Amino acid sequence: MRRLQEAYAEGLIAHEVLDERLHRALSALTQSELASALSSLPEGHPDSTATIAAAGGRIKRRGAWRVPRVLKVGSAYGRVRLDLSRAVIEHPVVDIELQLGTGGARITVPRDATVDVEGLSTGWKDLRYRVPRRSRPGGPTIRISGVMGYGRLKIRHSLR
């Protein structure tokens, strides 16, 4: 909604277009429907990068949070929980860079997402990820890279 409102305020789209696209964005049920409502808009921050770091404790993101193009997650001790199932994903490819010492991580991705874990190095425990039997096209690609120390990374697709 913010990207559409900013485009209107900058004079990039007309009022009628704003109304129609806001309606499409708010009634979107899939990532591809949301992306169609935002199509032809200029990129807000093409190289947007965010870092979430904690020495100890938990890192948790869930609900309707905005996922940047590159998300760097660092934790020396503690657990990491990233739930992207209801998150706003505006980019076709999202890179998640993990730098974790001890403690596990769990990432829930959208049902129609494609997951790439080729750039991930696990030290102590193996990765737990099952590719879904049936996948729907049009979802974002989530690339997970970085280093896992003594924890386990569990990746699952959301049920809805």
Side-chain angles (χ1 to χ4, degrees):
M1 287 180 9
R2 183 174 67 212
R3 282 191 57 205
L4 289 167
Q5 291 168 342
E6 289 171 357
Y8 174 72
E10 293 172 9
L12 300 174
I13 59 175
H15 181 70
E16 297 80 23
V17 175
L18 173 68
D19 287 342
E20 185 264 332
R21 289 194 182 195
L22 280 174
H23 176 70
R24 282 188 3 209
L26 292 171
S27 62
L29 298 175
T30 65
Q31 293 291 334
S32 59
E33 290 174 354
L34 180 61
S36 74
L38 300 175
S39 66
S40 78
L41 288 181
E43 285 294 319
H45 303 286
D47 57 334
S48 65
T49 301
T51 302
I52 306 170
R58 297 180 183 166
I59 296 175
K60 186 182 236 183
R61 294 290 183 272
R62 67 180 189 177
W65 61 290
R66 182 175 306 265
V67 180
R69 166 70 186 83
V70 178
L71 178 62
K72 297 180 180 185
V73 180
S75 176
Y77 310 100
R79 296 185 305 191
V80 174
R81 303 291 184 258
L82 299 176
D83 186 349
L84 283 74
S85 63
R86 294 184 182 157
V88 177
I89 302 174
E90 298 174 340
H91 308 283
V93 178
V94 173
D95 288 313
I96 299 176
E97 299 175 11
L98 300 175
Q99 297 296 321
L100 306 179
T102 60
R106 183 171 55 207
I107 301 175
T108 304
V109 298
R111 185 178 192 176
D112 58 349
T114 303
V115 178
D116 178 5
V117 292
E118 292 298 317
L120 182 68
S121 172
T122 57
W124 188 255
K125 294 186 177 180
D126 291 332
L127 166 72
R128 286 200 178 166
Y129 172 61
R130 282 189 310 192
V131 178
R133 283 183 251 165
R134 288 184 262 155
S135 62
R136 296 177 0 201
T141 298
I142 311 296
R143 291 191 302 213
I144 301 173
S145 62
V147 178
M148 292 284 301
Y150 293 101
R152 173 172 279 144
L153 173 61
K154 296 177 185 178
I155 303 171
R156 73 175 189 90
H157 289 265
S158 68
L159 301 176
R160 39 187 161 138

